[in-house]
Amino acid sequence: MEEFKCCKMTFNFTAFLIICLLVGVKSYEDIDECALGLDDCDENAICTNTEGCYICTCREGYCGDGRNCTVSDASTGIRLVHGNETSGLVEVLHNCEWRSVCDDYWTDEDAKVACRQLGLLPYAAGSYRRGIFRDGEEVQYWLDDVQCKGDELSLFDCPHKDTHNCGRRERAGVHCLDNDDVGIRLVKTTTLYSGIIELRIRNEWRSVCHDKWTDEDAQVACRSLELPSSGAKKEINGKFEPGEKVIYWI
């Protein structure tokens, strides 16, 4: 774990002299900053006093420089790099180090789980392989052969290997969705409150299949449309025009 050393010269010299006089020491270097609460350590760090200085060390289970310590729990440690907030290469936290995920067996089902773990929308999440790397960049892996079904909450819940046989061009990536990427509307409406449901994902509108469609599903759709949902009823076998092509999302 990283340690942060903060020496006396980072503090106001006059303030230290005043404190020295109050505690009855002859030199400000003799002050135990940890005992006096003058340290700048994170609440999840241990303060160790040294001569004229002190050292902050993150406690076990935390990562950081001592001033800022974050939980190193691998089940929550996931981020995207070489992209943006919703798209990029997947990295996971292992022993306080960020490492890549190998793209062996990497599929859209794995991408859905990664997006869900990132707090993004998993629907229509896309995977990509052979992730880019920068010249001279060292790539370290942890997860390999990840094989999710798509409904897991974390990549670590999926069958995987902690060892790998991957080169630096085999990093797994994802394209996730955020709230701006999705929408819902009614088409072929008969009233203001009835019609056929379509969903927009990345600027493409598609229909919803009525297989296993229930009144409860209809009520959720009405709430999403900001329409009255109490007592909403399902309708199936939506009408279509002769020759009309219907494309479904779900």
Side-chain angles (χ1 to χ4, degrees):
M1 296 184 183
E2 293 183 74
E3 296 180 343
F4 173 73
K5 185 174 182 180
C6 182
C7 294
K8 59 182 182 299
M9 295 308 294
T10 62
F11 292 96
N12 183 280
F13 181 78
T14 303
F16 264 92
L17 290 178
I18 294 174
I19 294 173
C20 289
L21 292 174
L22 293 175
V23 299
V25 296
K26 296 180 179 179
S27 171
Y28 66 88
E29 291 189 356
D30 296 329
I31 290 177
D32 185 340
E33 293 92 347
C34 300
L36 293 172
L38 299 174
D39 62 273
D40 192 26
C41 298
D42 187 272
E43 62 180 356
N44 294 307
I46 298 173
C47 179
T48 303
N49 191 63
T50 62
E51 184 178 357
C53 303
Y54 62 89
I55 297 175
C56 301
T57 308
C58 291
R59 298 179 186 275
E60 183 177 355
Y62 292 85
C63 300
D65 61 4
R67 286 186 301 177
N68 297 287
C69 301
T70 57
V71 177
S72 62
D73 181 7
S75 64
T76 58
I78 185 172
R79 69 180 184 183
L80 297 179
V81 298
H82 296 334
N84 52 43
E85 293 181 352
T86 59
S87 180
L89 301 179
V90 179
E91 289 191 343
V92 291
L93 192 61
H94 175 59
N95 288 338
C96 294
E97 294 183 3
W98 288 102
R99 296 189 180 184
S100 298
V101 177
C102 184
D103 65 11
D104 291 346
Y105 297 103
W106 188 252
T107 65
D108 288 351
E109 284 67 33
D110 302 314
K112 290 178 182 178
V113 176
C115 293
R116 182 180 294 114
Q117 189 177 351
L118 285 160
L120 300 171
L121 300 178
Y123 313 108
S127 61
Y128 65 88
R129 305 171 66 181
R130 307 297 177 188
I132 62 171
F133 67 95
R134 296 176 179 176
D135 291 339
E137 181 180 16
E138 181 181 358
V139 179
Q140 291 183 316
Y141 292 96
W142 183 26
L143 298 184
D144 189 14
D145 293 355
V146 180
Q147 300 182 63
C148 300
K149 293 185 296 182
D151 58 356
E152 295 90 346
L153 298 178
S154 165
L155 291 177
F156 307 98
D157 297 332
C158 306
H160 66 272
K161 293 180 180 178
D162 293 338
T163 58
H164 72 90
N165 58 350
C166 304
R168 60 180 183 173
R169 293 181 181 271
E170 297 183 72
R171 290 193 285 183
V174 295
H175 296 289
C176 303
L177 299 174
D178 62 20
N179 291 329
D180 294 332
D181 291 320
V182 297
I184 185 172
R185 70 182 181 184
L186 290 178
V187 298
K188 301 184 184 299
T189 55
T190 55
T191 70
L192 292 175
Y193 306 109
S194 63
I196 295 175
I197 294 172
E198 287 189 342
L199 298 179
R200 174 179 56 81
I201 298 179
R202 293 199 179 95
N203 297 319
E204 183 176 358
W205 289 97
R206 294 188 183 184
S207 297
V208 176
C209 183
H210 68 214
D211 290 349
K212 299 183 180 181
W213 187 253
T214 66
D215 290 345
E216 288 74 19
D217 299 321
Q219 291 164 15
V220 172
C222 289
R223 285 196 294 271
S224 299
L225 289 160
E226 298 183 352
L227 296 174
S229 61
S230 178
K233 300 294 183 181
K234 66 178 181 180
E235 288 187 8
I236 60 176
N237 297 321
K239 297 180 180 180
F240 63 94
E241 303 297 332
E244 180 183 6
K245 184 179 181 180
V246 180
I247 303 177
Y248 295 97
W249 276 123
I250 56 177

